[in-house]
Amino acid sequence: MAKFVVLLGPPGVGKGTQAKIISDQTGLKHVSSGDLFRENLKNKTALGELAQSYMTKGDLVPDDVTIAMIKERITRLDCEAGAILDGFPRTPAQADALANMLNELGGAQVNCAPWITAPEAILIERLSGRWTCRANGHVFHETNNPPKSKSVCDFDGSELYQRDDDKSDTVVRRIQVYLGQTAVLADYYRARKTLVEIDGTQSIENVSAALLATLKQ
Ligand code: AP5
Ligand code: MG
Protein backbone atom coordinates (compact mmCIF):
# COMPACT_ATOMS: atom_id res chain seq x y z
CA MET A 1 0.00 0.00 0.00
CA ALA A 2 1.29 3.49 -0.85
CA LYS A 3 2.57 5.56 2.05
CA PHE A 4 1.64 9.23 2.42
CA VAL A 5 3.30 11.52 4.95
CA VAL A 6 1.96 15.02 5.67
CA LEU A 7 4.59 17.41 7.06
CA LEU A 8 2.88 20.01 9.24
CA GLY A 9 4.46 23.07 10.82
CA PRO A 10 4.81 26.85 10.58
CA PRO A 11 6.76 28.76 7.91
CA GLY A 12 10.50 28.36 8.40
CA VAL A 13 10.37 25.41 10.78
CA GLY A 14 12.24 23.17 8.32
CA LYS A 15 9.55 21.27 6.36
CA GLY A 16 11.35 21.61 3.01
CA THR A 17 14.76 20.84 4.52
CA GLN A 18 13.46 17.69 6.16
CA ALA A 19 11.28 16.58 3.24
CA LYS A 20 14.34 16.48 0.97
CA ILE A 21 16.35 14.45 3.52
CA ILE A 22 13.65 11.91 4.27
CA SER A 23 12.76 11.63 0.58
CA ASP A 24 16.38 10.63 -0.13
CA GLN A 25 16.32 8.13 2.73
CA THR A 26 12.93 6.55 2.02
CA GLY A 27 12.55 6.95 -1.75
CA LEU A 28 9.16 8.61 -1.26
CA LYS A 29 8.61 11.53 -3.64
CA HIS A 30 8.82 15.06 -2.15
CA VAL A 31 5.77 17.09 -3.19
CA SER A 32 5.83 20.73 -2.04
CA SER A 33 2.81 22.93 -2.83
CA GLY A 34 4.95 26.08 -2.45
CA ASP A 35 7.58 24.70 -4.89
CA LEU A 36 4.83 23.78 -7.39
CA PHE A 37 3.45 27.33 -7.26
CA ARG A 38 6.96 28.79 -7.67
CA GLU A 39 7.59 26.46 -10.64
CA ASN A 40 4.35 27.67 -12.25
CA LEU A 41 5.42 31.24 -11.66
CA LYS A 42 8.82 30.58 -13.27
CA ASN A 43 7.05 29.05 -16.29
CA LYS A 44 4.63 32.02 -16.43
CA THR A 45 1.49 29.86 -16.32
CA ALA A 46 -1.94 31.29 -15.42
CA LEU A 47 -1.82 29.31 -12.17
CA GLY A 48 1.57 30.83 -11.33
CA GLU A 49 0.24 34.36 -11.89
CA LEU A 50 -2.83 33.71 -9.78
CA ALA A 51 -0.76 32.14 -6.97
CA GLN A 52 1.72 35.00 -6.94
CA SER A 53 -0.97 37.53 -6.05
CA TYR A 54 -1.61 35.61 -2.82
CA MET A 55 1.97 34.49 -2.07
CA THR A 56 3.47 37.97 -2.16
CA LYS A 57 1.00 39.01 0.55
CA GLY A 58 1.60 35.86 2.59
CA ASP A 59 -2.00 34.69 2.13
CA LEU A 60 -3.18 31.22 1.14
CA VAL A 61 -3.93 30.46 -2.50
CA PRO A 62 -7.65 29.46 -2.78
CA ASP A 63 -8.45 25.85 -1.89
CA ASP A 64 -9.98 24.84 -5.24
CA VAL A 65 -6.90 25.60 -7.38
CA THR A 66 -4.50 24.24 -4.73
CA ILE A 67 -6.42 20.99 -4.41
CA ALA A 68 -6.60 20.54 -8.20
CA MET A 69 -2.83 21.13 -8.51
CA ILE A 70 -1.99 18.55 -5.83
CA LYS A 71 -4.43 16.01 -7.22
CA GLU A 72 -2.80 16.25 -10.62
CA ARG A 73 0.65 15.86 -9.03
CA ILE A 74 0.07 12.90 -6.72
CA THR A 75 -1.75 10.86 -9.30
CA ARG A 76 1.41 10.75 -11.43
CA LEU A 77 3.35 7.48 -11.61
CA ASP A 78 6.27 8.72 -9.48
CA CYS A 79 3.92 8.94 -6.47
CA GLU A 80 2.68 5.37 -6.89
CA ALA A 81 4.57 4.26 -3.76
CA GLY A 82 3.44 7.38 -1.88
CA ALA A 83 4.81 10.85 -1.16
CA ILE A 84 5.96 13.30 1.45
CA LEU A 85 3.56 16.24 1.27
CA ASP A 86 5.21 19.51 2.32
CA GLY A 87 2.88 22.51 2.74
CA PHE A 88 -0.31 20.66 1.79
CA PRO A 89 -2.87 20.42 3.31
CA ARG A 90 -3.11 23.86 4.94
CA THR A 91 -6.85 24.04 5.68
CA PRO A 92 -9.41 21.47 6.88
CA ALA A 93 -11.05 21.59 3.42
CA GLN A 94 -7.70 20.66 1.84
CA ALA A 95 -7.25 17.85 4.39
CA ASP A 96 -10.70 16.43 3.56
CA ALA A 97 -9.94 16.70 -0.17
CA LEU A 98 -6.64 14.86 0.38
CA ALA A 99 -8.40 12.04 2.23
CA ASN A 100 -10.85 11.69 -0.68
CA MET A 101 -8.19 11.75 -3.39
CA LEU A 102 -6.07 9.14 -1.57
CA ASN A 103 -9.11 6.95 -1.09
CA GLU A 104 -9.72 7.13 -4.84
CA LEU A 105 -6.08 6.05 -5.33
CA GLY A 106 -6.88 2.49 -4.30
CA GLY A 107 -7.79 3.15 -0.68
CA ALA A 108 -4.58 4.92 0.41
CA GLN A 109 -4.58 7.27 3.39
CA VAL A 110 -2.37 9.65 5.34
CA ASN A 111 -0.16 7.26 7.35
CA CYS A 112 1.68 9.80 9.40
CA ALA A 113 1.46 13.55 10.09
CA PRO A 114 4.62 14.83 11.80
CA TRP A 115 4.01 18.27 13.32
CA ILE A 116 7.29 20.16 13.57
CA THR A 117 7.19 23.17 15.91
CA ALA A 118 9.47 26.00 17.05
CA PRO A 119 8.94 29.41 18.68
CA GLU A 120 8.27 32.43 16.44
CA ALA A 121 11.68 34.06 17.08
CA ILE A 122 13.43 30.97 15.69
CA LEU A 123 11.16 30.91 12.62
CA ILE A 124 11.93 34.55 11.85
CA GLU A 125 15.67 34.00 12.27
CA ARG A 126 15.58 30.97 9.96
CA LEU A 127 13.54 32.71 7.24
CA SER A 128 15.59 35.90 7.26
CA GLY A 129 18.81 33.92 6.65
CA ARG A 130 17.41 31.44 4.13
CA TRP A 131 18.82 31.02 0.61
CA THR A 132 16.88 28.83 -1.84
CA CYS A 133 18.12 27.19 -5.05
CA ARG A 134 16.47 28.19 -8.32
CA ALA A 135 16.55 24.77 -9.96
CA ASN A 136 15.20 22.40 -7.31
CA GLY A 137 14.29 24.36 -4.17
CA HIS A 138 17.18 23.09 -2.01
CA VAL A 139 17.46 25.34 1.05
CA PHE A 140 20.44 26.73 2.97
CA HIS A 141 20.89 29.17 5.81
CA GLU A 142 23.64 31.74 5.90
CA THR A 143 24.79 30.65 9.37
CA ASN A 144 22.93 27.45 10.39
CA ASN A 145 23.39 25.54 7.17
CA PRO A 146 25.66 27.51 4.78
CA PRO A 147 26.36 26.37 1.22
CA LYS A 148 29.98 25.39 0.48
CA SER A 149 30.34 28.34 -1.84
CA LYS A 150 28.31 31.55 -1.53
CA SER A 151 25.25 31.83 -3.84
CA VAL A 152 25.74 28.37 -5.40
CA CYS A 153 23.68 25.26 -4.58
CA ASP A 154 25.82 22.35 -3.25
CA PHE A 155 23.52 19.80 -4.90
CA ASP A 156 22.92 21.07 -8.42
CA GLY A 157 25.17 24.12 -8.89
CA SER A 158 22.25 26.46 -9.54
CA GLU A 159 21.99 30.02 -8.26
CA LEU A 160 20.76 30.67 -4.70
CA TYR A 161 18.24 33.48 -4.14
CA GLN A 162 16.20 34.97 -1.30
CA ARG A 163 12.45 34.39 -1.64
CA ASP A 164 10.28 37.52 -2.03
CA ASP A 165 7.96 36.29 0.72
CA ASP A 166 10.87 36.10 3.20
CA LYS A 167 10.67 39.90 3.67
CA SER A 168 9.89 40.67 7.31
CA ASP A 169 6.31 42.00 6.84
CA THR A 170 5.32 39.00 4.74
CA VAL A 171 6.94 36.57 7.19
CA VAL A 172 4.82 38.02 10.02
CA ARG A 173 1.69 37.68 7.87
CA ARG A 174 2.55 34.06 6.92
CA ILE A 175 2.93 33.14 10.58
CA GLN A 176 -0.46 34.78 11.37
CA VAL A 177 -2.09 32.88 8.51
CA TYR A 178 -0.54 29.65 9.76
CA LEU A 179 -1.91 30.24 13.28
CA GLY A 180 -5.34 31.31 12.01
CA GLN A 181 -5.94 28.72 9.28
CA THR A 182 -3.46 25.84 9.38
CA ALA A 183 -2.53 25.09 13.01
CA VAL A 184 -5.99 23.54 13.48
CA LEU A 185 -4.76 20.62 11.36
CA ALA A 186 -2.81 19.36 14.37
CA ASP A 187 -6.18 18.61 15.99
CA TYR A 188 -7.48 17.20 12.72
CA TYR A 189 -4.70 14.59 12.49
CA ARG A 190 -4.56 14.03 16.26
CA ALA A 191 -8.21 12.97 16.08
CA ARG A 192 -7.23 10.52 13.31
CA LYS A 193 -4.33 9.13 15.41
CA THR A 194 -1.66 10.06 12.87
CA LEU A 195 -0.16 13.17 14.51
CA VAL A 196 3.42 12.94 15.83
CA GLU A 197 4.91 16.01 17.54
CA ILE A 198 8.52 16.80 16.65
CA ASP A 199 10.68 19.43 18.36
CA GLY A 200 11.89 21.62 15.49
CA THR A 201 14.36 23.56 17.63
CA GLN A 202 16.82 20.66 17.42
CA SER A 203 19.62 20.47 14.85
CA ILE A 204 18.69 19.49 11.28
CA GLU A 205 20.28 16.04 11.87
CA ASN A 206 18.34 15.41 15.07
CA VAL A 207 15.02 16.45 13.52
CA SER A 208 15.70 14.05 10.62
CA ALA A 209 16.52 11.24 13.04
CA ALA A 210 13.27 11.83 14.94
CA LEU A 211 11.28 11.85 11.69
CA LEU A 212 12.90 8.70 10.33
CA ALA A 213 12.29 6.88 13.63
CA THR A 214 8.63 7.89 13.43
CA LEU A 215 8.28 6.72 9.83
CA LYS A 216 9.73 3.30 10.63
CA GLN A 217 7.00 2.62 13.22
P1 AP5 B 1 5.74 27.38 1.26
O1 AP5 B 1 6.75 27.44 0.22
O2 AP5 B 1 5.20 26.07 1.68
O3 AP5 B 1 6.25 28.19 2.51
P2 AP5 B 1 6.04 27.97 4.08
O4 AP5 B 1 5.05 26.99 4.55
O5 AP5 B 1 5.86 29.36 4.58
O6 AP5 B 1 7.28 27.26 4.55
P3 AP5 B 1 8.73 27.63 4.19
O7 AP5 B 1 9.09 27.03 2.88
O8 AP5 B 1 8.92 29.10 4.36
O9 AP5 B 1 9.51 26.94 5.41
P4 AP5 B 1 9.97 25.44 5.62
O10 AP5 B 1 9.22 24.90 6.80
O11 AP5 B 1 9.92 24.66 4.37
O12 AP5 B 1 11.46 25.70 6.10
P5 AP5 B 1 12.85 25.42 5.34
O13 AP5 B 1 13.12 23.94 5.31
O14 AP5 B 1 12.93 26.17 4.07
O15 AP5 B 1 4.48 28.28 0.81
C1 AP5 B 1 4.66 29.56 0.28
C2 AP5 B 1 3.32 30.18 -0.07
O16 AP5 B 1 2.66 29.39 -1.07
C3 AP5 B 1 2.31 30.28 1.07
O17 AP5 B 1 2.53 31.44 1.86
C4 AP5 B 1 1.00 30.33 0.28
O18 AP5 B 1 0.80 31.61 -0.28
C5 AP5 B 1 1.27 29.37 -0.86
N1 AP5 B 1 0.86 27.99 -0.52
C6 AP5 B 1 1.69 26.91 -0.39
N2 AP5 B 1 0.99 25.82 -0.09
C7 AP5 B 1 -0.31 26.20 -0.01
C8 AP5 B 1 -1.52 25.51 0.29
N3 AP5 B 1 -1.52 24.21 0.59
N4 AP5 B 1 -2.66 26.21 0.27
C9 AP5 B 1 -2.68 27.52 -0.03
N5 AP5 B 1 -1.57 28.24 -0.31
C10 AP5 B 1 -0.38 27.58 -0.31
O19 AP5 B 1 13.88 26.04 6.42
C11 AP5 B 1 13.91 27.44 6.67
C12 AP5 B 1 15.36 27.88 6.98
O20 AP5 B 1 15.77 27.29 8.22
C13 AP5 B 1 16.40 27.43 5.95
O21 AP5 B 1 17.33 28.46 5.82
C14 AP5 B 1 17.04 26.17 6.59
O22 AP5 B 1 18.38 26.00 6.17
C15 AP5 B 1 16.95 26.51 8.06
N6 AP5 B 1 16.73 25.33 8.92
C16 AP5 B 1 15.87 24.30 8.66
N7 AP5 B 1 15.87 23.42 9.71
C17 AP5 B 1 16.75 23.92 10.63
C18 AP5 B 1 17.19 23.45 11.91
N8 AP5 B 1 16.72 22.33 12.46
N9 AP5 B 1 18.12 24.20 12.57
C19 AP5 B 1 18.59 25.36 12.03
N10 AP5 B 1 18.22 25.85 10.82
C20 AP5 B 1 17.30 25.13 10.12
MG1 MG C 1 9.40 25.09 2.35
Side-chain angles (χ1 to χ4, degrees):
M1 176 66 71
K3 185 165 187 151
F4 286 88
V5 177
V6 162
L7 279 188
L8 298 170
V13 79
K15 299 180 298 296
T17 301
Q18 296 300 333
K20 290 229 180 299
I21 295 170
I22 58 176
S23 168
D24 287 345
Q25 300 268 338
T26 60
L28 294 173
K29 193 76 192 164
H30 173 199
V31 173
S32 157
S33 43
D35 286 354
L36 290 171
F37 286 133
R38 284 183 285 276
E39 204 177 293
N40 271 280
L41 188 60
K42 196 164 77 181
N43 296 333
K44 299 190 168 41
T45 68
L47 174 61
E49 262 176 46
L50 173 84
Q52 189 189 25
S53 60
Y54 295 93
M55 292 169 83
T56 49
K57 288 187 263 170
D59 289 334
L60 295 185
V61 180
D63 281 341
D64 55 347
V65 286
T66 305
I67 290 166
M69 175 181 77
I70 292 292
K71 186 168 185 182
E72 187 283 323
R73 183 65 194 84
I74 67 171
T75 45
R76 287 195 220 159
L77 215 54
D78 59 0
C79 292
E80 208 174 30
I84 298 159
L85 300 178
D86 156 15
F88 181 92
R90 258 171 153 102
T91 61
Q94 291 183 14
D96 285 340
L98 176 63
N100 289 336
M101 63 180 99
L102 293 184
N103 193 31
E104 284 168 18
L105 279 177
Q109 53 188 353
V110 172
N111 301 86
C112 183
W115 182 34
I116 314 175
T117 56
E120 189 165 325
I122 291 189
L123 306 175
I124 291 173
E125 189 267 329
R126 288 185 184 172
L127 292 173
S128 60
R130 171 166 63 183
W131 289 84
T132 303
C133 108
R134 287 227 186 261
N136 293 301
H138 294 107
V139 289
F140 299 87
H141 188 279
E142 56 197 20
T143 49
N144 302 340
N145 180 25
K148 292 196 185 87
S149 101
K150 201 174 181 286
S151 309
V152 180
C153 177
D154 290 359
F155 301 101
D156 55 36
S158 76
E159 182 202 9
L160 300 179
Y161 74 104
Q162 286 193 291
R163 274 171 44 181
D164 278 348
D165 61 348
D166 284 347
K167 293 191 179 84
S168 60
D169 288 358
T170 318
V171 164
V172 169
R173 174 73 190 147
R174 282 160 59 203
I175 294 173
Q176 280 172 353
V177 167
Y178 167 80
L179 293 173
Q181 298 185 57
T182 305
V184 65
L185 291 184
D187 292 334
Y188 182 101
Y189 286 109
R190 190 180 287 114
R192 286 158 182 79
K193 310 227 181 308
T194 43
L195 192 83
V196 183
E197 295 186 36
I198 306 269
D199 174 8
T201 64
Q202 306 173 85
S203 67
I204 292 175
E205 294 71 22
N206 287 353
V207 175
S208 304
L211 282 169
L212 288 165
T214 296
L215 297 189
K216 278 196 190 116
Q217 282 165 15

